[in-house]
Amino acid sequence: MPERLLFPEGFLWGAATASYQIEGAYDEAGKGESIWDRFSHTPGKIWGGDTGDVACDHYHRVAEDVALMAKLGLQVYRFSISWPRILPQGKGKVNKAGIEFYDRLVDRLMDAEIIPFVTLYHWDLPQALQDMGGWANRDVAYYFRDYAAIVADALGDRVRHWITHNEPWVTAVLGYMTGVHAPGIADSRQAVLAAHHLLLSHGETVRALRDILDDATQLGITLNFSPAYPATESPEDAVAAQKADAFSNRWFLDPIFRGHYPEELQERFADEMEEWSPDDLAAMAAPIDFLGVNYYSRQVVHADPSQRAGYRSVRVQESRYTDMDWEIFPQGLYDLLTRLQRDYDPAALYITENGAAFKDVLEPGRRVRDQERIDYLHDHFIKAHEAIQAGVKLRGYFVWSLMDNFEWAYGYSKRFGIVYVDYETCERIPKDSARWYHDVIAENGPLAKENGKGTGVS
Ligand code: FCB
């Protein structure tokens, strides 16, 4: 029997979702329009013309979904709040039904003894605020803080863990620089401003919530990371990797933990960057209790002076890739976690997202044999365990995702869930990985060597 890798006592195992990706009920019970409603209703933006109008219909299936989480043995659940459900116009009048929805969800989680982790912003900005310029408008940072205070007031007696933003880098870069996400703007000046205001809104919200919530409250932010490796041993590629790291990883890390932007970034965006006020930079660096880490893959880069960035990504031919065409590279998780602890020393870390999309097949008998997903998770769990042994203060792990859902610009074409969703009926069918994960949680760790194979899933 291979040895089992035990995680520290109290380590939290869970799964994550986001409001727009699962809730549906896009215009029900007083909810306002979000930028993702507008974007997905715009022809040509989403694969196959998919929208989040119904999604997994979680809004109407909360009881069933919490029961499912309990059955899987989840100890924590990370979900996000839809800002326009709470404030249809982004500010001003509160929609009571919106508050009540999340209030009931939290109550059900408490009854099931599942700890709620709340993300305040997972990309569904009220469209009314986009009409004022969205994150490129400084005022939105303060509207966000005010919205966060309303949610904290309503749920703060039960919710102890708060994440201000999910992947603000993605909001700024995909939303405002490349335009492949809502609001679909391609303007690097707006992107740099949006990033600045997202960071400001984070810091201002941390300050505000500290006043409202009691001392047991843990405040943090979730960032996406893509560790950068040089394609060759040449000095040029080493510089390329530094630049890629500044852009992909340190753009948000450095202001939050060090109170300034990385130098390489100021060079790359010399035309867009401003003389930022020292007060802004101080606000962004408000102390936090944990860092949320989203890790899916790495990047391998090659110096390329013909690119504005000075480098380009290369594909590692011998590697395996997921259905997103993301390289499977578990070692990157170890390298990332140990580096974060060494260079930034956060008080605690959580992996707030890790997982993989594969071409799942629902077999007769309603079974999904997703061995590749089991292997992916298994190999990443092992690396997380190694990182803890090396001194990383990792406190929990959220698999992305609890169930298949609306994968942004890819619509429903990519399945990340450990639970399969039949989009015709919205039926939930636990995949083999869900059963396997149940056992990992029950034992507080995976088996060391079997690499997921032959795990005896029945
Ligand atoms: C992350 C997002 C999450 C999901 C995964 C696959 O960037 O935070 O909502 O789409 O990627």
Side-chain angles (χ1 to χ4, degrees), residues 145-157 162 205-215 217 219:
R145 177 201 58 196
D146 297 347
Y147 144 72
I150 292 167
V151 179
D153 246 348
L155 307 179
D157 56 334
W162 297 86
T205 300
V206 167
R207 283 183 180 171
L209 295 199
R210 289 256 184 252
D211 284 347
I212 300 174
L213 300 169
D214 67 30
D215 292 348
T217 305
L219 302 175

Side-chain angles (χ1 to χ4, degrees), residues 17-18 21 78 122-123 166-167 170 174 181 222 224 294 296 324 326 353 355-357 400-401 405-408 416:
T17 63
Q21 295 181 276
R78 172 179 176 236
H122 202 129
W123 307 351
N166 177 71
E167 304 189 349
V170 173
L174 272 59
H181 276 190
T222 282
N224 53 298
N294 288 0
Y296 291 93
M324 296 295 281
W326 294 346
E353 287 181 28
W400 184 271
S401 177
N405 58 47
F406 179 84
E407 180 47 36
W408 309 112
F416 273 92

Side-chain angles (χ1 to χ4, degrees), residues 9 22 29 117 191 216 303 311 402:
E9 208 182 310
I22 65 164
F117 266 58
Y311 62 88
L402 172 64

